[in-house]
Amino acid sequence: MTLWNAGEPGDAAVLRFTAAADAALDARLVPYDVRASIAHARMLHAQRLLGAADLAAIEAGLGALGAEHARGAWQIGPEEEDVHTALEQRLTARIGAAGARVHLGRSRNDQVLAALRLYLKDVLVRLAQGARDCAAALEALAARQGSVALPGYTHLQQAMPSSVALWARGFAAELDDDAAGLEAVGRRLDKNPLGSAAGYGTPGLDLDREATRRELGFAAVHEPVTAVQLSRGKAEAQLLFEVALLIQDLGRWAADVVLFATQEFGFVSLAAAFTTGSSIMPQKRNPDVYELLRGQSAVAQACLLEALALTAKLTSGYHRDLQLLKAPLFRGIDLAQATLALAPRAIGALTFHPERVRLDAGIHAAEAANRLAASEGIPFRDAYRRIAAQLKR
Ligand code: ARG
C-alpha cells in the first residue's frame, strides 16, 4: 500500500516499476530516515503540533523499528515503495494514529534528501579514511624498500633516476589529496532540507527549520525552499567525481604494478595470494587484483556520468527521475569501499627486486647537464649540448 493511496486500487505492475530497486537500495537509509523522522517529530511537538504522548510513542516506535531492521528482523518489502513508506506504515501499524501524525509538514521529497545527506556525511568520513589508509600503506612500502632505484619514465622511456620511495610517495600524496577532496563534498551536504517539504514549504504551518537543523547537525538551513530540490544530484555528482579520481589514482598505481610485474620488467613480484592461476597454463601467476583495480575506474566514471545525466535537463521541482540517482551513487560508493578495503593489502603484497632493475646509461644526462651549468656558470642550453655530444661519442 502506498502513502498516497486515497482509496483507488493500485496497479501491481506500475508499483513494481515505480518502486524499482528502492526496496533494496533504501535499506541503507533506514537508520538515517529514523533519525530525521525523530528530529521532525520533536520539532512538531515543540511547535505544539504533536502531543507529548504521541511524540513518546513515535520516538519509541521508530527507535525499535530501526534497531529491528539493523538486526535483520524486517526488510523493506517491494510493495512498500521506499524507506519512507515502509517506516511510516510499520510505525502506524505498531502505535496507531500517532504514527500517521508524523507526516505533518513534510514530504518524501525533503525526507529523502535528509536521509541521503546524513548517510553521505558518514560515507565521506569512511572513504576519506580509506584513502588515507592506502596512502599509509604506500608510506610503509617506501619505508620498507624506498631505497630501491627505479627508472623514472616519461613517454614510457627512461627519463631520470627515481626510486621506490619517490614512486610510492607520489601516489600517497595524491591519495591524501583525494581524501581532502572527498571531505570537501561535505559543504554541499551540510544544509537542512527538512521543512521544504515537497519543495515549496509548509503554508499554514509554523515549522521550525532551525530546530531540526540543530538536532541533525547541519550547518545551515537550506534556503529558499525551492533550492532544495534543485540541489538533488549535485552532492551525489561531486562525491562520484571525487570517487572517480580516487579510483583512478589507485588504477594508475595498479597499471604501473602490472607493467613492473611482467617477465620483461621483473622489478616487482606479488605475494602468491594476490595472483591467480590459469586454467590451461600451469606456470602462470596473473596480476588479476591489480588489473581489476585498474579497470574499476571505468565503472566509477560511468556512475558519475549517470548521475550528471539524470539531472541535466530536468525542469525545477521534484521529479521521480531523481530516485534513479541512488543506484549509481550507491554503486560508486560500494565500489570505492570494496576497493579501499583491499588496496592496502595489495600494496603490502609487493616485493621489489633491485637486482632486476636496469637503469639506462643515459639516465643521468640531465643531472650532468645541471651540474655543468651550475659549476661553470654557463647557460643550461650550452651544458645540454655538451652533454649530448659526450653521450654520442
Ligand atoms: N523514493 C523517492 C526518491 O528517491 C522518494 C520521493 C518520492 N516522492 C514522490 N513525490 N513520489 O525520490
Side-chain angles (χ1 to χ4, degrees), residues 22 26 81-82 84 107-109 112 232 318-320 322-323 326:
D22 263 19
D26 280 11
E81 203 174 17
D82 57 25
H84 323 294
S107 151
R108 284 181 297 159
N109 298 357
V112 62
R232 191 159 175 198
Y318 177 83
H319 303 276
R320 193 63 175 264
L322 296 172
Q323 173 175 291
K326 286 183 286 192

Side-chain angles (χ1 to χ4, degrees), residues 50-126:
L50 185 71
D54 284 350
L55 172 63
I58 289 168
E59 286 176 328
L62 283 173
L65 281 168
E68 287 158 21
H69 183 269
R71 60 166 195 270
W74 65 274
Q75 291 171 347
I76 303 170
E79 72 297 341
E80 287 178 307
E81 203 174 17
D82 57 25
V83 60
H84 323 294
T85 309
L87 278 172
E88 187 176 324
Q89 286 181 347
R90 285 167 190 270
L91 180 67
T92 305
R94 195 167 288 201
I95 67 170
R101 288 185 190 279
V102 74
H103 207 64
L104 179 65
R106 72 172 184 182
S107 151
R108 284 181 297 159
N109 298 357
D110 61 345
Q111 249 187 296
V112 62
L113 269 157
L116 276 171
R117 285 180 186 175
L118 295 172
Y119 162 67
L120 291 175
K121 280 180 162 204
D122 280 356
V123 164
L124 289 186
V125 174
R126 285 204 296 274

